[in-house]
Amino acid sequence: MDELGDKELKPCPFCGSTELYVGPNTTTSYHVMCCSCFGKGTSYTIPFDPTAQQVDWEKRCKILAIEAWNKRV
């Protein structure tokens, strides 16, 4: 998570656990998932763009997934 800077995860909104996984659920889609209750946040898919740098898209998708997870309504 250190490559994402100040993006900290809030605890799971379902069970309160802080054991969270941030990463791909497939090779092209990133999400946040609780390791205790398996609650899952919104998935963000890396678009196919042969001119873009893959690492940049992965970082963007991870950041979007974390921001969606931390959003509470």
Side-chain angles (χ1 to χ4, degrees):
M1 289 286 297
D2 51 0
E3 77 272 5
L4 300 177
D6 62 349
K7 298 293 180 189
E8 293 185 25
L9 289 166
K10 289 185 180 180
C12 177
F14 306 109
C15 72
S17 175
T18 56
E19 292 183 42
L20 305 168
Y21 167 77
V22 180
N25 58 351
T26 66
T27 56
T28 61
S29 183
Y30 284 81
H31 70 283
V32 177
M33 185 179 78
C34 176
C35 295
S36 295
C37 72
F38 302 107
K40 186 178 131 200
T42 306
S43 292
Y44 289 89
T45 303
I46 299 170
F48 176 74
D49 184 356
T51 63
Q53 299 233 344
Q54 188 73 12
V55 174
D56 291 338
W57 278 114
E58 288 176 6
K59 184 176 178 181
R60 289 180 200 171
C61 288
K62 286 179 186 178
I63 289 170
L64 288 172
I66 291 170
E67 288 173 351
W69 177 265
N70 287 339
K71 192 177 198 177
R72 302 289 197 256
V73 288

